[in-house]
């Protein structure tokens, strides 16, 4: 047989082998995409799915995945190879778990994830918190809303006690290697860049943007539309609309670019800038102390009509005066309440003129013991959310 004929036969054999592989590949691909008319869902033979697990229609579970007995997968969920769902975990419709993702834990309590969420490669969501106060056997909870993207190696923990829960809202982008600790409350439309680390009980409102490698101390509160510069350490509350940065973060002005992108009007931004300048950049030394400047801006005829300016002033006053310290001391104070040791309502705290805008919650009745600062902090955070 001539060498040329041998080469032609070899090439022909390779072509037939290639067509065979292509047909097998297409066949396997069709099997991985369930058709509702023939099969309500698709489970790869190499996956381990407990018979008591609830699998929604159109769901697809890849090889080497595990799904626990109490898990519930919504319609059209997709688990990529090597992803895992454990414990009492609920996934909404159209959720995607990429390779290595771990969702839920075999603990009392529950992890609830809404619809259209993506859990990235090797992310860990809904596991036991890293808080030594957590007692084995206590229920712990995590609730995540809709349309969130949680990227690779991120970690989000459940609450530290049954009376609280870790909460994440809707439309958040949580980039790679971020950490959200126990009992945090995250709002909507936030962007956390890589290595954003939140300690326990942190509250982040809406439309907050963090740059990379920032840390936020426990119990801190970050207001809406704030921007935190890269490499910052946040040890105090961040008021709304502000831009902060630094090793121990300091105010750097208003987040004007963020406000513009989110549709704030020119009038609103000018009002906020005017308020900022009057408070932090007084034109003369006779403008009084900080508290006097804050009160003057709050009573300003024009600024008082701008809701965003008033919200910012209230938020900033909460930060500057040390909200927890002032309220706690006022509750213990006897001289400013005409002999009444424990005022019935926070609204009676007249020395703080801004409290009426912030608090409408009764804490202690007459004769009751004033809460400790730690307990008071929990109540405040609960009210703010």
């Amino acid at each position: 047989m001539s060498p040329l004929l041998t080469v032609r036969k070899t090439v022909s054999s390779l072509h037939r082998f290639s067509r065979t592989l292509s047909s097998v590949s297409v066949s396997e691909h069709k099997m991985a995409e369930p058709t509702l008319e023939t099969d309500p869902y698709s489970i790869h033979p190499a996956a381990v799915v407990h018979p008591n697990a609830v699998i929604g229609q159109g769901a697809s579970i890849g090889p080497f995945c595990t799904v626990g007995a109490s898990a519930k997968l919504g319609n059209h969920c997709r688990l990529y190879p090597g992803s895992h769902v454990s414990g009492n975990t609920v996934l909404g419709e159209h959720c995607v778990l990429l390779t290595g993702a771990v969702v839920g834990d075999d603990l009392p309590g529950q992890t609830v994830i809404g619809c259209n969420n993506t859990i990235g490669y090797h992310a860990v969501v809904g596991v036991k918190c890293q808080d030594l106060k957590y007692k084995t056997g206590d229920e712990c909870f995590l609730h995540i809303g809709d349309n969130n993207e949680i990227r690779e190696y991120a970690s989000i923990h459940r609450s530290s006690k049954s009376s609280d829960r870790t909460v994440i809202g809707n439309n958040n982008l949580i980039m790679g290697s971020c950490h959200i600790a126990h009992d945090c409350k995250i709002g909507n439309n936030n962007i956390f860049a890589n290595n954003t680390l939140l300690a326990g009980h942190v509250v982040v409102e809406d439309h907050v943007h963090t740059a990379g490698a920032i840390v936020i101390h426990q119990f801190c509160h970050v207001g809406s539309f704030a921007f935190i510069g890269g490499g910052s350490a946040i040890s105090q509350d961040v008021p709304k609309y502000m831009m902060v940065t630094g090793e121990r973060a300091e105010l750097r002005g208003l987040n004007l670019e963020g406000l513009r992108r989110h549709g704030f009007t020119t009038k609103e931004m000018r009002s906020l800038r005017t308020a900022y300048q009057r408070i932090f950049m007084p034109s003369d030394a006779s403008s009084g102390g900080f508290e006097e400047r804050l009160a003057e801006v709050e009573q300003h005829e024009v600024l008082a009509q701008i809701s965003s300016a008033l919200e910012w002033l209230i938020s900033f006053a909460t930060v500057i005066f040390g909200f927890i310290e002032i309220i706690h001391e006022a509750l213990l104070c006897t001289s400013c309440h005409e002999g009444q040791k424990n005022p019935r309502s926070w609204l009676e705290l007249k020395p703080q003129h801004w409290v009426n805008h912030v608090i409408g919650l009764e804490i202690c009745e007459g004769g009751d013991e004033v809460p400790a600062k730690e307990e008071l902090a929990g109540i405040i955070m609960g009210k703010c959310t």
Side-chain angles (χ1 to χ4, degrees), residues 193-210:
N194 300 70
N195 292 290
T196 293
L197 309 178
L198 276 59
H201 303 277
V202 168
V203 176
V204 179
E205 295 182 5
D206 303 328
H207 300 282
V208 173
H209 190 173
T210 72

Side-chain angles (χ1 to χ4, degrees), residues 1-235:
M1 182 179 295
S2 67
L4 182 59
L5 185 58
T6 303
V7 171
R8 287 179 176 174
K9 286 186 175 182
T10 303
V11 172
S12 178
S13 299
L14 288 175
H15 283 170
R16 288 196 301 271
F17 181 67
S18 176
R19 287 195 298 271
T20 302
L21 286 180
S22 298
S23 63
V24 172
S25 176
V26 171
S27 176
E28 289 180 350
H29 178 70
K30 289 181 179 178
M31 289 177 62
E33 296 291 344
T35 304
L36 294 182
E37 289 80 3
T38 59
D39 192 358
Y41 49 78
S42 172
I43 301 177
H44 194 279
V48 179
V49 179
H50 196 280
N52 292 338
V54 177
I55 311 298
Q57 288 189 337
S60 174
I61 301 175
F64 312 113
C65 295
T66 60
V67 180
S70 301
K72 297 179 181 179
L73 275 58
N75 297 335
H76 305 288
C77 284
R78 189 167 187 179
L79 275 59
Y80 278 72
S83 55
H84 308 278
V85 181
S86 304
N88 186 3
T89 299
V90 178
L91 293 180
E93 296 183 353
H94 297 282
C95 285
V96 176
L97 273 60
L98 298 177
T99 298
V102 177
V103 177
D105 203 346
D106 290 317
L107 296 170
Q110 190 178 43
T111 297
V112 179
I113 299 179
C115 301
N116 300 305
N117 292 289
T118 299
I119 313 297
Y121 299 99
H122 301 282
V124 179
V125 177
V127 298
K128 177 184 174 182
C129 67
Q130 298 175 147
D131 188 349
L132 295 178
K133 295 190 297 295
Y134 173 75
K135 297 179 181 179
T136 303
D138 281 359
E139 290 186 326
C140 47
F141 301 93
L142 167 65
H143 286 186
I144 297 178
D146 303 328
N147 305 310
N148 297 287
E149 185 173 1
I150 301 169
R151 294 299 298 267
E152 58 275 7
Y153 297 100
S155 57
I156 303 175
H157 292 173
R158 291 201 212 176
S159 61
S160 60
K161 52 187 178 181
S162 59
S163 60
D164 208 339
R165 63 194 62 203
T166 305
V167 177
I168 297 176
N170 306 318
N171 304 303
N172 296 290
L173 172 57
I174 301 171
M175 298 187 192
S177 302
C178 289
H179 175 66
I180 299 177
H182 58 90
D183 308 296
C184 286
K185 305 292 188 296
I186 311 300
N188 306 315
N189 302 292
N190 297 297
I191 299 176
F192 296 163
N194 300 70
N195 292 290
T196 293
L197 309 178
L198 276 59
H201 303 277
V202 168
V203 176
V204 179
E205 295 182 5
D206 303 328
H207 300 282
V208 173
H209 190 173
T210 72
I214 70 109
V215 296
I216 303 181
H217 192 273
Q218 60 189 15
F219 288 103
C220 283
H221 191 126
V222 181
S224 298
F225 302 99
F227 177 84
I228 302 175
S232 300
I234 306 299
S235 57

Side-chain angles (χ1 to χ4, degrees), residues 222-279:
V222 181
S224 298
F225 302 99
F227 177 84
I228 302 175
S232 300
I234 306 299
S235 57
Q236 295 176 322
D237 292 357
V238 178
K240 291 183 177 181
Y241 316 128
M242 302 301 289
M243 181 168 55
V244 301
T245 188
E247 182 182 355
R248 283 295 181 264
E250 299 177 352
L251 294 176
R252 303 294 183 181
L254 294 170
N255 181 21
L256 294 176
E257 180 61 24
L259 297 177
R260 182 188 65 80
R261 292 180 179 180
H262 287 97
F264 279 69
T265 65
T266 302
K267 181 179 180 181
E268 288 175 324
M269 289 191 288
R270 285 178 178 174
S271 298
L272 288 170
R273 179 181 288 177
T274 300
Y276 185 89
Q277 291 174 343
R278 286 174 178 266
I279 293 172

